[in-house]
């Protein structure tokens, strides 16, 4: 067991599957010789060869189409989009084919494929490198959308994604690629998809988040504890489909909910969670549902990046407002 970062956990999970399943292949821009722009695939081509770890041209539609074709024939491709902002040329292949092929063929063909992408802001990147557009993919039936928040979850969820018989969009919050290490045993043990994780038990309010924002959310929970507010913290992890049972059970206990996300507020995953709580758990609520999110604007350049992204202080202010309702 070794202490590794989130990006090292992603690498370890892919290496495990390449080692143990000959149907797994990995490809994308610069993933081979260079080991990926963030080094997520470092060393894999050298170990497993150019036929299984493949450098592609800068052609996202082709990368996704190649994954669709391979998966339809029983292979298990892992396709990398260099940044989430570059994924849009591949949307036709993902939405119209990967997500639909099981339904289109009445179950004859499946799509055991993973599309990886570094996502989110916080690294002073230029335009198209900092988007948090998970809601676009969460809206499409047939896709699973997974966003790990720490190294152990990145390892276990990546294994589950590769082994899943249907397409998984695996979004890696690059801001936390290297900021924390976890002890992770490289034993091939997967975590369940479609399940939330309760990271902190509490009784006064439920804080709900995913990806990089889990770190600010947990920091806020600790500060709230010093004020006498006992917050339960849930890591959604799989944002489509969402494990609403865990969230509703928590809200039934605490009576209050606040959703924290980096994405723009309107039409977001957070909006869907809030709607589900209102629809199915409104009689348990003691206060309006709170939301702390990015703004309904394009992610700004790095000078204003910190003003755009939710902070611990914004979370604290929202929770204090919610707690005023008795």
């Amino acid at each position: 067991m070794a202490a590794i970062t989130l990006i090292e956990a992603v690498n370890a999970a892919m290496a495990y599957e390449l080692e143990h399943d000959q149907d797994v292949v990995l490809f994308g821009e610069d993933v081979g010789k260079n080991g990926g722009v963030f080094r997520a695939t470092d060393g894999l081509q050298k170990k497993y060869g150019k036929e299984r770890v493949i450098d592609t041209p800068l052609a996202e539609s082709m990368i996704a189409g190649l994954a669709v074709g391979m998966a339809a024939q029983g292979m298990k491709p892992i396709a990398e989009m260099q940044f989430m902002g570059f994924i849009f040329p591949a949307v036709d292949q993902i939405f119209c084919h990967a997500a639909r092929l099981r339904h289109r063929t009445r179950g004859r063909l499946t799509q055991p494929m993973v599309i990886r992408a570094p996502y989110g802001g916080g690294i002073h990147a230029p335009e198209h490198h900092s988007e948090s557009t998970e809601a676009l993919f969460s809206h499409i039936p047939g896709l699973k959308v997974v966003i790990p928040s720490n190294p152990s979850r990145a390892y276990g969820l990546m294994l589950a994604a590769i082994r899943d018989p249907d397409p998984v969009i695996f979004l890696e919050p690059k801001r936390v690629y290297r900021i924390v290490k976890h002890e992770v045993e490289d034993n091939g043990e997967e975590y369940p998809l479609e399940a939330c994780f309760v990271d902190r038990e509490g009784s006064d309010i439920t804080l709900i988040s995913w990806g990089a924002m889990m770190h600010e959310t947990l920091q806020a929970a600790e500060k709230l504890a010093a004020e006498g507010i006992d917050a339960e913290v849930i890591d959604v992890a799989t944002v489509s489909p969402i494990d609403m049972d865990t969230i509703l059970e928590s809200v039934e206990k605490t009576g209050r909910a606040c959703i924290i996300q980096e994405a723009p507020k309107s039409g977001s995953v957070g909006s869907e969670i809030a709607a589900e709580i209102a629809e199915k758990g409104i009689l348990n609520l003691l206060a309006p549902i709170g939301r702390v999110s990015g703004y309904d604007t394009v992610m700004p350049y790095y000078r204003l990046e910190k003003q755009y992204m939710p902070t611990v202080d914004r979370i604290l202010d929202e929770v204090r407002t919610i707690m005023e309702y008795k």
Side-chain angles (χ1 to χ4, degrees):
M1 184 179 294
I4 59 175
T5 62
L6 192 151
I7 198 166
E8 291 169 334
V10 170
N11 182 288
M14 293 189 294
Y16 188 95
E17 289 302 285
L18 284 163
E19 182 70 32
H20 292 88
D21 189 340
Q22 293 302 306
D23 289 331
V24 175
V25 292
L26 170 63
F27 50 86
E29 299 161 9
D30 297 323
V31 302
K33 185 177 179 180
N34 288 342
V37 67
F38 291 102
R39 302 298 181 259
T41 55
D42 190 35
L44 298 182
Q45 188 180 77
K46 184 177 181 180
K47 185 172 183 179
Y48 298 105
K50 293 182 179 180
E51 291 186 355
R52 296 187 68 204
V53 182
I54 306 162
D55 282 315
T56 68
L58 274 68
E60 287 79 10
S61 180
M62 179 275 290
I63 292 169
L66 183 61
V68 169
M70 284 183 166
Q73 298 306 309
M75 299 184 75
K76 298 177 181 178
I78 308 168
E80 179 183 299
M81 300 290 155
Q82 204 166 70
F83 288 88
M84 190 179 187
F86 300 167
I87 202 170
F88 299 107
V91 159
D92 175 60
Q93 295 289 349
I94 298 168
F95 287 10
C96 298
H97 303 294
R100 291 172 173 262
L101 202 59
R102 176 188 285 276
H103 182 268
R104 182 180 298 150
T105 64
R106 299 178 184 178
R108 186 173 63 86
L109 298 177
T110 57
Q111 287 284 282
M113 59 183 280
V114 178
I115 294 184
R116 299 177 43 244
Y119 110 114
I123 65 164
H124 293 179
E127 193 175 10
H128 299 306
H129 293 70
S130 301
E131 283 82 358
S132 296
T133 51
E134 62 266 31
L136 294 176
F137 297 88
S138 300
H139 187 68
I140 303 301
L143 297 179
K144 293 183 176 74
V145 183
V146 178
I147 307 175
S149 62
N150 61 47
S152 59
R153 285 189 194 141
Y155 179 81
L157 292 170
M158 175 58 81
L159 289 171
I162 297 169
R163 296 166 184 172
D164 198 89
D166 293 305
V168 178
I169 308 297
F170 197 90
L171 303 177
E172 300 162 13
K174 55 185 179 289
R175 178 164 63 92
V176 295
Y177 262 157
R178 294 179 172 88
I179 69 168
V180 66
K181 289 188 175 184
H182 277 192
E183 296 283 340
V184 178
E185 186 173 355
D186 189 11
N187 59 4
E189 185 175 336
E190 66 182 64
Y191 279 5
L193 299 179
E194 306 176 32
C196 292
F197 300 88
V198 180
D199 280 2
R200 189 183 191 280
E201 298 277 352
S203 58
D204 293 329
I205 188 168
T206 301
L207 305 183
I208 304 157
S209 192
W210 53 92
M213 289 312 305
M214 280 299 301
H215 295 265
E216 282 78 9
T217 302
L218 287 165
Q219 290 171 39
E222 292 303 314
K223 289 181 178 292
L224 290 167
E227 300 178 15
I229 300 172
D230 190 16
E232 183 147 299
V233 178
I234 293 179
D235 180 0
V236 177
T238 300
V239 300
S240 182
I242 299 169
D243 172 18
M244 284 305 304
D245 289 343
T246 297
I247 293 171
L248 290 168
E249 182 179 336
S250 176
V251 173
E252 183 178 4
K253 177 174 67 173
T254 66
R256 302 174 182 87
C258 183
I259 303 154
I260 300 99
Q261 64 179 10
E262 190 176 312
K265 191 173 186 178
S266 298
S268 63
V269 172
S271 301
E272 177 61 23
I273 294 172
E276 287 280 322
I277 294 171
E279 181 180 337
K280 298 173 182 176
I282 193 168
L283 297 180
N284 296 315
L285 290 174
L286 302 173
I289 301 164
R291 284 188 288 164
V292 181
S293 69
Y295 300 102
D296 292 342
T297 67
V298 174
M299 167 67 90
Y301 292 121
Y302 69 90
R303 287 186 180 180
L304 294 175
E305 195 174 45
K306 289 184 178 179
Q307 280 67 42
Y308 177 91
M309 297 173 67
T311 62
V312 172
D313 285 341
R314 283 180 60 195
I315 298 169
L316 293 174
D317 288 344
E318 184 68 17
V319 171
R320 289 168 187 147
T321 298
I322 294 169
M323 295 303 298
E324 289 176 359
Y325 291 85
K326 303 298 184 183

